[in-house]
Amino acid sequence: MATLLLVHAHPDDEAISTGGVMMRAHEEAHRVVLVTCTRGEEGEIHNMDEAATRPRLAAVRTAELRRACDVLGVDRQEFLGYRDSGMAGTAANDDPASFHLAPLHEAGERLAVLLREERPEVVVTYTSDGTYGHPDHIKAHHTTVAALDLLEREGWSPAKFYLSAIPRGFMQQMMKMAAEAGMELPANGIRILGIPDEEITTSVNVRDLAERKREAFAAHVSQNDPNSPFQTMASQIYEMAFGTEHFVLARGDLGEERPERSLWAGVQRG
């Protein structure tokens, strides 16, 4: 049995971008470890009363994450212990407890403790732009790199270190399809450009798991806007949009010709 360790910023991020590879690893009898850097205190609130829920949103989202982990086959989930920094340019960025403001050496050491315990064969986090520029996603990238650098100096490295990514060509295709279908995209400041297609090293087909990914995201009730494309798109379109998960191999060797079809290609499994 080998171990997959993923570093995500908030509850629900795991289901959207890496839910398929998590479930695939579980199906193949690998250990799945999820590190969540914050409890998502600054998230939007849907399907429940805003005034009553806001003071306890961290607890609500923690419980939602536990349910999502059951769907995804997570063996161990840990929080890194920081507060959600909010979207770029918001007041939450300045909270002393925010992940955004945490000293990098401190955050890196917190993650290194878990890496020492687990010694995963495969590690996954975000690209350096955090996919869409969220301060916590960007910090998760730098924290993971810092932790791996620390352990490399101690003489250990995972077989592979991947960055979850969205190909630019795919993003443009999805935007075109949405426009043609008259689908209204969220106007909440999120803009995903994607990375150049040629930088993608690994594309994992998880179409058979797409509906279960949707189930895992649905566990995050407070984050499920009933009018969002996540909820309203037909299963066929959802499968097309979320049925392949893409990655950039940042460290380690490709296990097969690009694009790899699995995070485990070439990895010696315990």
Side-chain angles (χ1 to χ4, degrees):
M1 180 177 69
T3 298
L4 169 66
L5 185 145
L6 308 99
V7 182
H8 278 290
H10 316 100
D12 82 9
D13 292 328
E14 78 294 329
I16 297 167
S17 59
T18 58
V21 294
M22 294 169 76
M23 287 186 282
R24 184 76 76 222
H26 177 74
E27 285 183 346
E28 295 176 357
H30 297 309
R31 180 170 171 80
V32 179
V33 178
L34 172 63
V35 180
T36 313
C37 300
T38 80
R39 295 177 189 263
E41 296 90 339
E42 291 296 315
E44 295 180 356
I45 297 175
H46 300 283
N47 307 307
M48 49 191 74
D49 182 75
E50 164 86 29
T53 306
R54 178 61 64 186
R56 58 186 191 90
L57 185 58
V60 169
R61 297 195 69 180
T62 297
E64 292 172 346
L65 179 59
R66 301 290 186 224
R67 289 190 287 273
C69 284
D70 288 342
V71 177
L72 296 170
V74 173
D75 296 287
R76 178 186 184 186
Q77 188 276 323
E78 297 286 350
F79 286 103
L80 211 54
Y82 294 104
R83 192 182 190 285
D84 186 349
S85 307
M87 297 292 287
T90 63
N93 295 172
D94 300 323
D95 190 312
S98 71
F99 186 36
H100 170 64
L101 290 182
L104 185 58
H105 67 87
E106 175 197 280
E109 176 54 39
R110 288 191 191 186
L111 179 57
V113 169
L114 300 173
L115 288 167
R116 290 188 192 103
E117 292 174 1
E118 294 291 344
R119 303 279 171 168
E121 282 75 10
V122 178
V123 174
V124 175
T125 193
Y126 311 106
T127 47
S128 60
D129 65 353
T131 307
Y132 65 95
H134 192 294
D136 288 335
H137 287 236
I138 294 170
K139 190 60 169 274
H141 169 87
H142 291 300
T143 296
T144 307
V145 170
L148 290 174
D149 285 348
L150 181 59
L151 268 72
E152 187 173 30
R153 291 194 291 272
E154 296 174 5
W156 176 86
S157 294
K160 289 182 165 183
F161 172 38
Y162 284 103
L163 309 176
S164 174
I166 300 177
R168 189 165 297 162
F170 167 80
M171 199 65 220
Q172 291 169 346
Q173 180 186 3
M174 287 297 104
M175 296 292 284
K176 184 170 182 277
M177 282 179 55
E180 289 173 352
M183 191 180 295
E184 193 172 327
L185 297 173
N188 55 3
I190 294 177
R191 189 176 179 212
I192 302 173
L193 296 176
I195 68 166
D197 293 21
E198 59 271 18
E199 293 183 19
I200 298 294
T201 63
T202 310
S203 295
V204 183
N205 185 340
V206 294
R207 287 194 172 202
D208 58 315
L209 300 170
E211 281 304 312
R212 282 172 58 198
K213 276 183 69 171
R214 202 171 199 171
E215 181 185 347
F217 182 64
H220 296 280
V221 177
S222 67
Q223 303 306 297
N224 274 262
D225 180 351
N227 299 312
S228 80
F230 286 119
Q231 301 302 311
T232 58
M233 68 175 63
S235 294
Q236 186 176 2
I237 299 175
Y238 188 91
E239 186 178 301
M240 187 181 302
F242 299 101
T244 305
E245 294 175 355
H246 304 278
F247 303 87
V248 175
L249 180 63
R251 299 184 186 183
D253 297 321
L254 288 168
E256 60 188 3
E257 187 176 341
R258 293 174 64 161
E260 293 178 306
R261 293 163 293 173
S262 168
L263 301 185
W264 304 98
V267 175
Q268 186 173 355
R269 314 186 195 192

